[in-house]
């Protein structure tokens, strides 16, 4: 696991159990990743290979159809899948997203929760591609969007 990923995981472990700790973690995450912080993510669960993150509908995220904007949903899906991947990377491996595909299924309203998943290979001796996914559901459990992010993985440079 890279140093930033280890710090992120340690911060989550320390803060998530404290009153207001999840809120504080979300604010720290927003400072670390300002664009993703613009949707005000609320991290519900975080572990290697899995991240659960929610956003609440608010005026700033709405489109002309009075639902959550498509790019806000893509942002949420990329963040959830990216955290899942980042924390799951083996030691000595670095990664960067190189592609994203978003499938929208219905208008997103209310609180939307993304379940990010990633299972990178245990060993990455040379550059390769891997994917991480996120399923976004509304409060009734209906899937509103699915996100698939392609990552380029490789050994960390010494």
């Amino acid at each position: 696991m890279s140093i930033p990923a280890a710090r992120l995981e340690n911060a989550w472990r320390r803060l998530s159990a404290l009153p207001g700790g999840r809120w504080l973690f979300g604010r720290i995450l927003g400072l670390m990743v300002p664009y993703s912080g613009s949707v005000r993510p609320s991290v519900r669960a975080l572990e290697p290979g899995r991240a659960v993150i929610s956003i609440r509908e608010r005026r700033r995220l709405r489109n002309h159809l009075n639902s959550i904007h498509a790019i806000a949903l893509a942002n949420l899906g990329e963040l959830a899948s990216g955290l899942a991947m980042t924390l799951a990377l083996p030691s000595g491996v670095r990664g960067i997203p190189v592609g994203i595909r978003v499938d929208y299924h219905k208008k997103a309203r209310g609180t939307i929760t993304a379940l990010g998943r990633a299972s990178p290979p245990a060993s990455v001796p040379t550059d390769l591609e891997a994917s991480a996914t996120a399923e976004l559901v509304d409060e009734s459990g209906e899937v509103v969007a699915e996100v698939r992010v392609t990552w380029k993985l490789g050994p960390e440079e010494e």
Side-chain angles (χ1 to χ4, degrees):
M1 183 181 303
S2 69
I3 291 172
R7 286 184 181 156
L8 194 62
E9 188 172 23
N10 285 337
W12 172 254
R13 284 188 186 149
R14 287 180 154 177
L15 294 172
S16 64
L18 299 174
R22 291 178 185 213
W23 176 87
L24 180 58
F25 182 83
R27 295 302 155 251
I28 292 169
L29 182 61
L31 291 172
M32 291 174 64
V33 190
Y35 184 76
S36 292
S38 69
V39 296
R40 292 189 188 156
S42 177
V43 179
R44 305 288 185 202
L46 185 59
E47 60 191 61
R50 182 176 177 271
V52 181
I53 304 174
S54 297
I55 60 170
R56 286 183 309 111
E57 178 183 1
R58 60 186 204 284
R59 186 177 188 282
R60 183 175 207 147
L61 298 181
R62 287 189 198 120
N63 58 24
H64 65 289
L65 302 173
N66 204 30
S67 61
I68 299 175
H69 195 282
I71 297 304
L73 295 172
N75 186 341
L76 173 63
E78 192 276 336
L79 180 61
S81 64
L83 285 173
M85 177 64 85
T86 299
L87 267 61
L89 289 176
S91 181
V93 175
R94 50 123 177 99
I96 187 166
V98 294
I100 186 169
R101 176 190 167 118
V102 184
D103 293 317
Y104 301 99
H105 302 294
K106 64 176 277 190
K107 290 181 183 177
R109 294 195 169 108
T111 298
I112 304 299
T113 300
L115 173 55
R117 292 192 173 118
S119 298
S123 173
V124 181
T126 185
D127 287 355
L128 57 85
E129 287 191 352
S131 65
T133 61
E135 183 177 71
L136 284 64
V137 299
D138 61 18
E139 293 163 300
S140 70
E142 287 192 64
V143 176
V144 298
E146 294 173 287
V147 177
R148 181 179 193 86
V149 180
T150 303
W151 283 66
K152 181 179 178 182
L153 305 180
E156 287 182 343
E157 296 179 10
E158 297 178 25

